[in-house]
């Protein structure tokens, strides 16, 4: 069986992606490394939710906490940093390939994800698996609701936090 390290951005995105790769005969483990998530309280919410989902689903997840520096709004550096850590961990722990749960989100930059994933593949010497899973986004949302997972309203960094609605009703529903 092919061993696949799945970089996990959050629990809701992991639901569908984990199931899809497991059903496709991969042996999957998760890797939670997301220094882009701001502020710290939001990071803790997403991490706790990942731990909860991990216990629920049986997905083994490694959590890496170092290097919390992050430049808000620079998606290139954000993807590159997270993918590099995932690739290095995958290589040193004898995985065959690495990939990311970002592949399920229609709000992420898929061309950039593929470009950076392939760059890291060449530089680190371990394959990056790109597969467009956006068709499963709403199934993942339904799974997240069923499991009662915390569903955040923005991608992660301060630059991605939506502005409050003009009528003072709080942030508009945002894209993740
Ligand atoms: S918008 Fe998302 S991907 Fe881009 S820098 Fe912010 S957290 Fe990273």
């Amino acid at each position: 069986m092919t061993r696949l390290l799945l970089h996990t951005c959050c629990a809701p995105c992991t639901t569908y992606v984990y199931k899809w790769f497991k059903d496709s005969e991969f042996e999957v483990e998760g890797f939670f490394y997301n220094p882009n998530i701001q502020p710290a309280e939001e990071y803790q919410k997403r991490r706790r939710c990942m731990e909860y989902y991990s216990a629920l689903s049986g997905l083994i997840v490694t959590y890496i906490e170092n290097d919390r520096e992050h430049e808000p709004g620079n998606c290139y550096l954000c993807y590159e940093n997270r993918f590099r850590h995932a690739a290095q961990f995958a290589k040193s722990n004898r995985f065959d390939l690495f990939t990311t749960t970002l592949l399920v989100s229609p709000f992420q930059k898929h061309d950039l994800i593929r470009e950076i994933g392939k760059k890291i593949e060449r530089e680190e010497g371990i394959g990056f698996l790109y597969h467009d899973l956006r068709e499963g986004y709403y199934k993942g949302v339904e799974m997240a609701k069923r499991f009662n997972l915390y569903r955040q309203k923005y991608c992660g960094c301060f630059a991605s936090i939506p502005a409050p609605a003009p009528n003072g009703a709080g942030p508009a529903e945002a894209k993740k």
Side-chain angles (χ1 to χ4, degrees):
M1 227 183 203
T2 305
R3 294 188 72 217
L4 177 66
L5 186 73
L6 176 61
H7 165 260
T8 58
C9 63
C10 63
C13 286
T14 304
T15 54
Y16 179 82
V17 178
Y18 174 43
K19 182 177 184 323
W20 195 91
F21 281 119
K22 216 168 48 150
D23 290 350
S24 304
E25 306 290 316
F26 287 94
E27 186 183 320
V28 185
E29 283 188 30
F31 181 78
F32 188 94
Y33 171 69
N34 298 295
N36 54 312
I37 301 171
Q38 298 168 326
E41 299 75 41
E42 176 69 21
Y43 175 84
Q44 288 304 333
K45 271 191 203 171
R46 296 192 198 183
R47 177 178 163 147
R48 278 197 301 274
C49 186
M50 193 68 234
E51 290 167 348
Y52 169 76
Y53 177 70
S54 166
L56 206 65
S57 65
L59 174 67
I60 295 167
V61 179
T62 298
Y63 300 85
I64 302 292
E65 288 288 343
N66 64 347
D67 186 13
R68 296 293 318 279
E69 294 299 315
H70 177 73
E71 184 184 323
N74 192 329
C75 301
Y76 188 101
L77 292 182
C78 181
Y79 292 152
E80 186 185 45
N81 181 37
R82 291 188 281 166
F83 294 178
R84 191 173 304 283
H85 278 75
Q88 289 174 349
F89 182 89
K91 198 170 173 191
S92 56
N93 288 278
R94 300 178 183 278
F95 285 85
D96 300 298
L97 297 166
F98 75 102
T99 190
T100 174
T101 53
L102 295 168
L103 298 177
V104 80
S105 173
F107 307 111
Q108 295 292 325
K109 300 175 168 78
H110 278 243
D111 289 348
L112 194 58
I113 289 172
R114 184 168 21 203
E115 176 194 328
I116 295 171
K118 290 297 170 187
K119 178 176 98 84
I120 300 287
E121 171 180 304
R122 289 191 298 276
E123 292 174 356
E124 301 294 340
I126 179 159
F128 174 72
L129 181 54
Y130 179 86
H131 191 89
D132 188 346
L133 292 172
R134 283 175 282 193
E135 86 286 346
Y137 178 73
Y138 288 103
K139 283 186 192 153
V141 170
E142 287 311 310
M143 290 165 85
K145 285 181 185 169
R146 203 170 342 118
F147 296 137
N148 204 22
L149 303 181
Y150 166 64
R151 292 171 54 233
Q152 63 272 8
K153 294 189 174 353
Y154 61 99
C155 184
C157 66
F158 285 129
S160 65
I161 297 176
N167 62 6
E173 183 67 23
K175 312 296 188 226
K176 169 65 178 77

